[in-house]
Amino acid sequence: MKIVFELNGIKQEIDCLPDSRVVDLLREELGHTGTKEACGSGECGACTILVDGVSKLSCLMLAAQLQGRSITTIEGMSSGKKLHPIQQAFVDKGAVQCGFCSPGMLMATVDFLQRNPAPDRQQIRTALSGNLCRCTGYQKIIDAVESAAAEMRDEL
C-alpha cells in the first residue's frame, strides 16, 4: 500500500506492507534510527514520536495511520546546528546517561511543554511516567525539563 505523509517537514511517499509498524518503517525503511524500540509493547516510551504535534508510541502504530499526517522524530527536533532548548537542557543538566531513552523522553517533553509551559516537578514526573530510563536518571531528567520550560518561557 502507498502512504503519503510529512516526516520532519519533508513529504514522504512510501510503499509499505499494511501491517508495518511505524517504528519499523522509520528505522528500517527511512533510516531514522533515533527512534528507539525497547519493549515493543507500548510500556517504555523509547519509541515516542510526534504525530501532528502529539506524542505517540510508534511501536503501537501501523504505518497506514500516518496517511496525511505530520510526523516529527528526534532527527527533526532541532533545526540547523543549534539544539532545541529541551535538548540543550538535557545536555546542560546531565540528563543523558546511556542515552537510549533520551529520544523518547525528549519527544514526550516537547508535547508536554506545549500543553503545560509552566509545570511543577510533580507534573513533570507524571507527564514522563510512561517513559522509562533504565539508568534511573530521573532526577536529572526532571531538572532538565524544569530548566527547559523556564528557558522556553524566557525566564533564564
Side-chain angles (χ1 to χ4, degrees):
M1 71 178 293
K2 182 172 283 194
I3 58 172
V4 179
F5 62 98
E6 187 177 285
L7 176 61
N8 298 329
I10 299 171
K11 182 181 175 182
Q12 303 288 322
E13 195 168 321
I14 306 284
D15 282 315
C16 63
L17 296 172
D19 60 348
S20 296
R21 295 180 315 155
V22 171
V23 67
D24 298 327
L25 179 73
L26 291 172
R27 291 181 56 82
E28 297 170 16
E29 300 296 323
L30 298 171
H32 286 252
T33 56
T35 301
K36 306 299 184 200
E37 180 177 12
C39 71
S41 60
E43 295 183 19
C44 72
C47 65
T48 303
I49 60 172
L50 299 179
V51 178
D52 295 332
V54 177
S55 63
K56 299 288 182 185
L57 300 172
S58 62
C59 73
L60 298 181
M61 292 184 69
L62 294 176
Q65 293 175 287
L66 298 180
Q67 176 61 39
R69 310 300 274 288
S70 177
I71 311 306
T72 306
T73 64
I74 192 67
E75 289 89 349
M77 188 171 177
S78 64
S79 59
K81 293 182 178 180
K82 186 174 181 179
L83 294 176
H84 185 282
I86 298 170
Q87 292 172 307
Q88 189 62 56
F90 270 61
V91 171
D92 293 345
K93 297 295 181 182
V96 178
Q97 292 186 28
C98 82
F100 193 84
C101 72
S102 297
M105 290 279 187
L106 289 162
M107 300 314 290
T109 300
V110 169
D111 178 29
F112 172 61
L113 292 181
Q114 288 173 349
R115 292 181 285 110
N116 186 354
D120 61 32
R121 292 181 70 82
Q122 184 56 47
Q123 289 171 322
I124 296 168
R125 281 187 196 94
T126 300
L128 296 180
S129 63
N131 291 76
L132 303 180
C133 171
R134 62 186 176 190
C135 302
T136 68
Y138 294 106
Q139 292 306 314
K140 290 184 176 186
I141 291 169
I142 292 166
D143 291 346
V145 174
E146 190 173 44
S147 176
E151 173 71 22
M152 293 168 69
R153 290 189 314 266
D154 203 22
E155 290 182 0
L156 294 178

